[in-house]
Amino acid sequence: MSIVCDAVVIVYALLSSYWLRFCTPLRTVGVPADLSISDYAAYIAIGAFSLLLGLAGAKVYEPNALLRYRFVAVKIAKVSMFWAAGFLGFVLIFKFQPPISRLFVGICTVTTPVALLVWRRLFHTFLQRSAVAADLQQRIIIVGWNDAAQHLADSFASDPAAAYRVVGCVTPAQGRFQKEPNGVRALGQVQDLRELFHQHEIDIVILSDVDGLKGEIVGLANLCEREMVQFKIVPSYFQILVSGLHLETVSGIPILGVSQLPLDRQVNVLIKRLLDIVGSIAGLIIAAPLVALFGILVWRESPGPIFYRQRRLGRNGVPFDIYKIRSMRLDAEAGGKVGWSTKVDARRLKIGSFMRKYNIDELPQFWNVLTGEMSLVGPRPERPELIADFKEDIPHYNARHNVKPGITGWAQVKGFRGDTDLTERIRCDLFYLENWNFFLDLQILAMTVVSNKNAA
């Protein structure tokens, strides 16, 4: 159904692009042309077919993708960019007649993905509210139970349109769980799996406890293969950066290890840096009047320096000075005492509380971004004095220093900032490291703007 509807939406978007280009005042832009719809029929057919092929290649039409709107939206945006360039290049190389209008292609590049995203949003909303969602969910049994299994189950349970549903769990080969499951039924033992597959129509088995013997794990994998059930393993020995796990062969021996993450690739670093430069210049220009206004208000309430420099840790743990509009009294850290800022903090100025509510005090950090010490999006930098022991107490804390810190980040738009749960903040930071892409940065920036507006 989704591929047929996508095809209809794409064709109508291309027809709309034709109408905008040749049946509105835009027809006088560039080289005037009097072309009928039949002249562009081949272009519309080629464009629709090639875009559908691209979306299919991006696995947009897989059953478990139908309930994942964000996944589909990112794929549509990416594929559409490459499709527009490839579509234009193809028709120019083969010199189709009549020559294609570049303005038509430009309009298609906007109308087609927008139409697809709007239709997919409506489709996703319908699926969320219908009984169809349950039929599309892949049914999971988890072998063993630990923190990773509980996190998976809670994540799926919190989203009614999740692509997966945990039906239950079974005890592993050693006969006991590492921890008791919460909110998930214990269905029996690993020896009962064959019967449970048919009884509960299981699609996926996830092994969360890999402490069993090699032969038992191989036997479980073979059972899943015979019963045509997907077999997956939670890599509990790699509790960090698992999306970077890569299997390679060295001297004929398969070796599993952490390979490159998205921001380890230079092309991605360049793309992110270009976004930072453009965004920071625009940010400084837009923020200048606000910085001047609130600087005056700060000085009137508490005469003294307007700007405040604070030592933070950047990429690879290198310290740098972060810039802010001062939001606290001059003696806020008298005696060298350093502490977290809380929601109700007597040290704050009156205007400081307002600035912090809307993140106005952080506007000068666009300068840190422009100079390359920070990025627009990334883990928030912390003070060395406050995090000296974090790397010992919080697992994987220092992994967040593999990228530049940001003015905003995934943890911040999810509500984890300031005096909040550090473990969840680190989990969000690691998610960002593993899943970075250009569109994720744009999404976080948009969510930051929206959350600030909602704060009003």
Side-chain angles (χ1 to χ4, degrees), residues 129-151:
R129 298 176 180 177
S130 71
V132 179
D135 296 330
L136 292 173
Q137 289 177 323
Q138 292 191 286
R139 300 165 66 83
I140 296 173
I141 278 184
I142 298 179
V143 178
W145 201 262
N146 51 25
D147 290 333
Q150 189 67 59
H151 180 74

Side-chain angles (χ1 to χ4, degrees), residues 132-426:
V132 179
D135 296 330
L136 292 173
Q137 289 177 323
Q138 292 191 286
R139 300 165 66 83
I140 296 173
I141 278 184
I142 298 179
V143 178
W145 201 262
N146 51 25
D147 290 333
Q150 189 67 59
H151 180 74
L152 270 178
D154 291 343
S155 176
F156 298 151
S158 64
D159 182 3
Y164 308 96
R165 180 160 68 94
V166 178
V167 174
C169 58
V170 297
T171 55
Q174 59 268 36
R176 59 183 179 82
F177 295 122
Q178 290 184 12
K179 66 176 293 184
E180 288 302 313
N182 180 22
V184 174
R185 287 191 302 161
L187 300 176
Q189 301 177 335
V190 69
Q191 294 87 342
D192 305 322
L193 276 178
R194 187 191 300 273
E195 179 182 345
L196 293 172
F197 288 166
H198 301 286
Q199 183 179 345
H200 296 281
E201 299 179 344
I202 299 302
D203 300 297
I204 301 173
V205 165
I206 296 179
L207 177 61
S208 67
D209 188 341
V210 294
D211 292 335
L213 298 176
K214 174 183 175 181
E216 294 170 336
I217 296 175
V218 172
L220 178 57
N222 290 338
L223 171 64
C224 292
E225 181 182 2
R226 290 194 300 270
E227 299 296 328
M228 291 186 294
V229 173
Q230 297 180 52
F231 176 64
K232 301 181 184 296
I233 297 178
V234 176
S236 58
Y237 292 114
F238 297 88
Q239 289 296 321
I240 178 175
L241 308 179
V242 293
S243 69
L245 289 180
H246 176 70
L247 185 66
E248 59 180 322
T249 301
V250 178
S251 299
I253 302 298
I255 296 177
L256 183 67
V258 177
S259 63
Q260 285 190 330
L261 293 166
L263 285 174
D264 290 330
R265 302 183 182 96
Q266 288 303 311
V267 63
N268 290 340
V269 173
L270 177 61
I271 291 172
K272 187 171 176 63
R273 182 58 184 152
L274 289 174
L275 176 63
D276 286 343
I277 292 173
V278 173
S280 60
I281 291 175
L284 287 170
I285 294 172
I286 296 171
L290 286 173
V291 172
L293 172 62
F294 282 92
I296 294 172
L297 294 175
V298 167
W299 187 85
R300 288 187 62 185
E301 183 177 350
S302 174
I306 294 172
F307 295 107
Y308 175 60
R309 293 196 308 174
Q310 196 176 71
R311 206 68 168 164
R312 298 290 179 98
L313 289 184
R315 186 181 182 186
N316 297 324
V318 177
F320 70 99
D321 288 329
I322 197 173
Y323 293 94
K324 291 187 176 187
I325 304 175
R326 182 166 60 88
S327 61
M328 293 191 177
R329 302 190 313 263
L330 290 175
D331 60 348
E333 293 184 348
K337 183 179 180 181
V338 177
W340 293 104
S341 175
T342 58
K343 291 183 179 180
V344 181
D345 197 323
R347 300 174 300 169
R348 288 187 189 178
L349 302 174
K350 293 180 180 179
I351 190 62
S353 296
F354 179 86
M355 288 193 300
R356 284 184 172 242
K357 180 179 180 181
Y358 297 100
N359 298 322
I360 295 172
D361 61 316
E362 297 179 355
L363 291 177
Q365 290 166 33
F366 283 118
W367 178 255
N368 290 109
V369 176
L370 186 60
T371 57
E373 296 167 320
M374 292 179 64
S375 177
L376 292 175
V377 181
R380 282 295 295 168
E382 302 290 359
R383 303 183 65 173
E385 303 91 340
L386 295 176
I387 64 174
D389 298 324
F390 286 178
K391 64 181 180 181
E392 305 293 342
D393 300 332
I394 302 176
H396 325 309
Y397 182 85
N398 268 348
R400 67 201 303 275
H401 292 130
N402 288 330
V403 297
K404 291 179 183 178
I407 294 179
T408 185
W410 187 245
Q412 283 66 47
V413 298
K414 288 295 184 179
F416 298 106
R417 56 172 297 168
D419 188 19
T420 53
D421 189 337
L422 279 173
T423 302
E424 287 302 318
R425 284 166 63 181
I426 302 308

Side-chain angles (χ1 to χ4, degrees), residues 5-15 44 47-49 51-52 55 61 83 112 115-116:
C5 292
D6 276 3
V8 172
V9 170
I10 292 170
V11 169
Y12 270 100
L14 294 174
L15 289 171
I44 292 173
F49 183 70
L51 182 52
L52 284 172
L55 293 173
Y61 302 114
W83 165 76
T112 307
L116 282 171

